[in-house]
Amino acid sequence: MASFLTDNDDLRFYLERGIDWDALVEVTEYGYRTPDGFKTPAEARTFYAEIAAMMGELVAKELGPRSATIDREGNQLSEGEVTEGPAMQAFFAALKAAEVHRLCLPRELGGLNAPLALYFLIAEMVARGDVSAMTHFSFHGGMAMAMLAYSIHEGTTDFDVAAGRIASTRFGEYIEEIARGDAWGCMDITEPDAGSDMARLRARATQDAEGSWTVSGEKIFITSGHGKFHFVIARTEDPKGDDAFSGLQGLSMFLVKAYDDLPDGRRVRHVSIERLEEKLGHHGSVTAALLFDNAPAQLIGKRGEGFKYMLVLMNNARVGVAFESIGLGECALRMAREYAAGRRSMGKAIADHEMIADLLDEMETDLLGLRALAATSAFHEEMSQKMALLERFTAGAPEAGRVKAELPKHRALSRRYTPLLKYLAAEKAVEIARRNVQIHGGVGYTREYGAEKLLRDALVLPIYEGTSQIQSLMAMKDTLMGIIKRPQAFLGRMAQARWRSVSSADPLERRVSAVSVLSLSVQQHLLTRTAADKLKTLGGTSPATWKASLSREWDPKRDFALAMLHAERLTRLLADEAIAEILLEQSRRFPERREVLERWLDRCELRDRALHEEITTTGERMLSKLASRRAEVGS
């Protein structure tokens, strides 16, 4: 039987060996304290492999062949309710029958207690079948997990530490409804004049004399917005002062039920669906505009904590989009490879023409590198979340010290990798889908082969869950602020990278270190220039204040103009460096992975030297132009 798992050796590598499953099993099983849980990593891994194999076959059989039909059928809005196309309904009926929405939920909540890393590997396979189906799939079990995560963070989940289990949780009834496949949820943030700039959100939540909350306002671009359970960011306090970013402090998080189904079959709506967006791609995924008119709401956490609670889920969402991107890229690569092998030109298959062979090789190499970064990022994000939870069960236990010591490392690596991953995976998905169209030639521009659909579907990936530019600014800010906070550590890294680039006995390590030297040199250049510009602004101040200004008083929005200009270029360089380091570590444990590392270095070394040159020698003209524009506006 066809399978999207067994035909993908690289994906199987991560399922079988490339992820530290033993560590994930330990934290997922609460340190093996659960009476009905797995007692050894081997037991758990056998179960995970069975789930992955089942999903690989299900997606290949139930989704892949329906992708074009899902795209054609789309969704319909009639009398205030959304009807999905028959093909999409058939696939989700198969998922419901397989009880896949229970995958990551704890056993005590009726789940299968699988790691999120397994879900992400499955997400890649689903996205390879159809990315719009994957988008909707994420708002089923993913929103049930969000309910649990929010309840834990606000303190409304009770733990039975002795029994190694969750005793109760605030949204348990809703979680079960989603787990059965009878409902799903969504996240409602964007408004007509407020996307990435959340400080401008205007939807309002009000509390009556009895303490009950209602939400009023409009939300747009809401993926799977026809769901029952809505996490809504709404304003409870007005901004203070002139600082535009103070508006974030007045946002709160709410859970809103969009409707209730009555015993007589009627549905009472609390949130109306105003329209479905007519999109370029993702036709199987509902994207809705919603109107809240005094909709009953439940406050999550405390008022004013909405932005904080949004961040609880943001890393997972961005890792998920990266796996979607890889799945779409895998589909595009296979489509291009199959067409190129069968299409003959000038006496041979076009796959054997040098330029096409090189395009296919680079597409495959990109996916190998992205999957390495995605698996590593997913691992550290899950470890950081679950080790924080494991602390509750290990207090006073022998492993308590180890858990506490390892947690900061996983948090730091997750924070480092996630914006790089989301940026590069989304951008490469568009590039790979575009090349697939080109390899198909004229027929790629028609609907017959499906190449154009993949390109349409790919174009949104660098936009939602944080644009590529937002990811770049995050990566730039964290990188440069990290140097400012720990300059000696940065100098040590630079010295070590330079030494390894010339002295390592392993030629591949020398090449990886050379990439790191390029990255660190760029970081040093940007910070040196930033510090020089900062000194110019201190000319009219007392020298006694300079030390504090240079060591502490940094505002990336104000002080990092050159770095912001080059943020995307820096992010590409940082991502290349991270992937090279990950593949080097893999090659030390699995010698067969050396070929993957060598392929990655062959591609990234030249572009990273070019990025280094571009960042260190250009930008003055654009900064001068922007400065002149600001001066004109000021005058």
Side-chain angles (χ1 to χ4, degrees), residues 213-224:
W213 287 93
T214 58
V215 170
S216 296
E218 184 181 0
K219 296 289 184 178
I220 62 171
F221 302 150
I222 306 305
T223 305
S224 298

Side-chain angles (χ1 to χ4, degrees), residues 352-368:
D352 294 326
H353 286 271
E354 288 78 5
M355 284 189 289
I356 302 301
D358 187 55
L359 288 176
L360 291 169
D361 179 80
E362 186 169 20
M363 292 160 73
E364 182 181 40
T365 301
D366 284 341
L367 290 171
L368 293 172

